[in-house]
Each structure stands twice: as C-alpha cells, then as structure tokens.
Amino acid sequence: MTSGPDHSPFSSAFRGEGTRTGVVLSHGFTGSPHGLRAWATAFAAAGFAVRMPLLPGHGTTWQDLAKTRWQQWHGALDDAFLELDAECDHVFAAGLSMGGALALRIAATRPVAGVVLVNPGLVIDDPRASLAGILKLVLKSTPSIGNDILKAGVDEGAYARTPVAAAHELHKMFRDTVRLLPRVTAPVQAYRSAVDHVVSDASMDVLRRGLTHAPLEVIRLENSYHVATLDNDADRIFEGSVDFIRRVQAAAAGPAEEVPSEQA
C-alpha cells in the first residue's frame, strides 16, 4: 500500500566545508512541498542547507487557500530566506510555477546569489483572471490545475478544486512581481517544458523582457509537462541546478576557481 502525498515542509542543514550555501524553495499554486521534495533532497545531498516551507492555505483544503492572501505566501518564503541568510554565506532562491514568481520576488527584494526556476508563472492567460475579484463572489471554485505530468502514475497531491478567491490573489501577485523584475540582478536559470498545459510561453516572454539587469539561461525540457520536478526530466533539473549553483559560486570566487558548465 502506497502512502499519500507528503505536504510537510523540508529542512536540511549545511554539510561540508568552505562556502556555506543555502537554497530556499517554493512549491506552486494549489500544490505543496510534495511536488519538490525530490529536488530539495538533491540540494541537501549536494551539501546545501535547504528550506522549503508549506505556504499558507496549501496542503490542507482548497477552502483554506481561499482565505489566504498572496502576501502570506510571500511572507512564508521570505521568512525561510531570512533563516538561511542568517547561517549561510550565499542563498539561492528556487521555485516551480507560482513558486518561481515567489523566488523572483525574493531575488528582487533580498540579496540572493542566484535563482532557479521551473516553468515559472507570471501571467494568467485565462481572460477571466482580471474578473476574478468579482467572480469570487458568485463562483467559489473551478476545476483543478494540478497533475500536468507526462510521466504515468505520478500524483503531485494538488487540490481537486481551484479557489477563485485565491486565483484573484495569484493574479495580483503576478502583476506586482512583474513590476519588480528589473530589480533582479542575480543570475537566473530557467527550465521550460516544451509542452505545458498550465503556464503558457507568455510568462517566459514577460520574464525575458523584465530581467533587464540579470543574465538568463533557459533550458528546454522535451519530455515533461508543467510539474517537471516530478516528470521525466526531473534528474536533469536536479543535476543542472546543482551545477548552476556551483558555477555561480565559482564565478563569484574568481577565475582561478571557475569550473565549466555541464549543461548542453
């Protein structure tokens, strides 16, 4: 008998010598740490200190999520960043989907060393998004956006319904985050699935235009859908993001310690 999704937060301490590196991770909208747990474990195995909170309103019921505000989601990740920042030399921010937007917010407002994104969301294409503030008064929820995974038999443990009130909060958070993108100066690595039924290429277009002061590396995933951290390209993401962090740190340390990229 298989156990259900593990929605609990993830935390690990720095292991090793030298530069103390931390990674703060954020899951996506209606999801939970379950969808990123293997990624967090890979960072921990690399010796990094890791914090991945369960965002308010997530991991319980969609009705709970409907009562939260986007500032609470950001606040939870910001608190996790500050915890790592107090004990590490460098902290990187990473996230999936909405978690990518939250990671970018941290990078725009805190001294992060780098950012790793997986299918980041910055735009809601549904034309009803701008009306969600009104619709939430008469429509409580819509069908789930979860489990967009190509690999068979995988469940991310997302809510079965999407609360309209929370979608309204997401829309507001996206708009405010786009405004902050020019403040990001740390290197950004983004993994983008060729087929994504949740987040369209509009979000990547906005990301490219908004990162006016940060280098952006985009890696295309051909064998995964939206929740790529649980899909066929997961190992590529895990290995590539660890390599990215080490490359950024080596570059910051000076030319004598630089190591070549393993990315194709």
Side-chain angles (χ1 to χ4, degrees):
M1 181 177 179
T2 59
S3 59
D6 182 358
H7 301 307
S8 63
F10 182 96
S11 178
S12 72
F14 170 75
R15 294 187 293 106
E17 301 178 354
T19 302
R20 294 169 298 175
T21 303
V23 183
V24 62
L25 273 168
S26 177
H27 62 79
F29 184 63
T30 77
S32 79
H34 176 75
L36 275 66
R37 193 164 302 278
W39 193 14
T41 300
F43 282 136
F48 307 148
V50 181
R51 298 292 185 277
M52 179 171 57
L54 172 65
L55 302 181
H58 292 78
T60 54
T61 67
W62 68 261
Q63 290 89 345
D64 284 341
L65 181 57
K67 301 172 186 176
T68 61
R69 299 292 179 263
W70 71 261
Q71 290 89 348
Q72 294 174 261
W73 311 333
H74 169 74
L77 194 65
D78 194 50
D79 287 345
F81 169 83
L82 292 174
E83 184 178 332
L84 281 176
D85 192 47
E87 62 185 60
C88 295
D89 299 308
H90 301 118
V91 180
F92 290 74
L96 164 71
S97 195
M98 176 190 79
L102 289 172
L104 288 164
R105 291 190 66 83
I106 299 298
T109 56
R110 300 294 186 184
V112 305
V115 186
V116 185
L117 311 171
V118 176
N119 292 320
L122 289 167
V123 175
I124 299 178
D125 294 302
D126 192 325
R128 297 173 296 177
S130 60
L131 302 174
I134 298 174
L135 288 175
K136 68 181 182 181
L137 302 176
V138 294
L139 182 65
K140 298 302 181 184
S141 68
T142 58
S144 172
I145 61 170
N147 279 336
D148 187 36
I149 302 171
L150 176 61
K151 190 174 183 178
V154 180
D155 181 4
E156 70 165 316
Y159 288 148
R161 303 288 296 178
T162 301
V164 175
H168 179 50
E169 293 297 314
L170 181 66
H171 178 61
K172 290 190 292 184
M173 191 268 281
F174 279 176
R175 286 190 304 176
D176 193 68
T177 302
V178 170
R179 176 183 63 83
L180 296 177
L181 290 179
R183 299 186 189 179
V184 178
T185 58
V188 179
Q189 182 186 63
Y191 291 87
R192 177 62 182 152
S193 295
V195 177
D196 186 333
H197 303 98
V198 177
V199 172
S200 77
D201 286 335
S203 286
M204 287 300 299
D205 293 340
V206 167
L207 181 66
R208 289 187 177 94
R209 291 196 302 268
L211 292 180
T212 54
H213 298 94
L216 172 63
E217 172 188 15
V218 180
I219 300 168
R220 188 175 174 89
L221 305 177
E222 300 290 349
N223 201 26
S224 297
Y225 290 163
H226 183 65
V227 191
T229 52
L230 288 176
D231 219 325
N232 296 307
D233 292 302
D235 287 342
R236 186 182 182 198
I237 295 170
F238 305 161
E239 294 167 7
S241 55
V242 168
D243 172 67
F244 169 75
I245 289 174
R246 288 175 172 159
R247 282 189 285 126
V248 170
Q249 290 184 318
E257 297 187 36
E258 287 186 5
V259 294
S261 167
E262 295 180 4
Q263 292 293 331

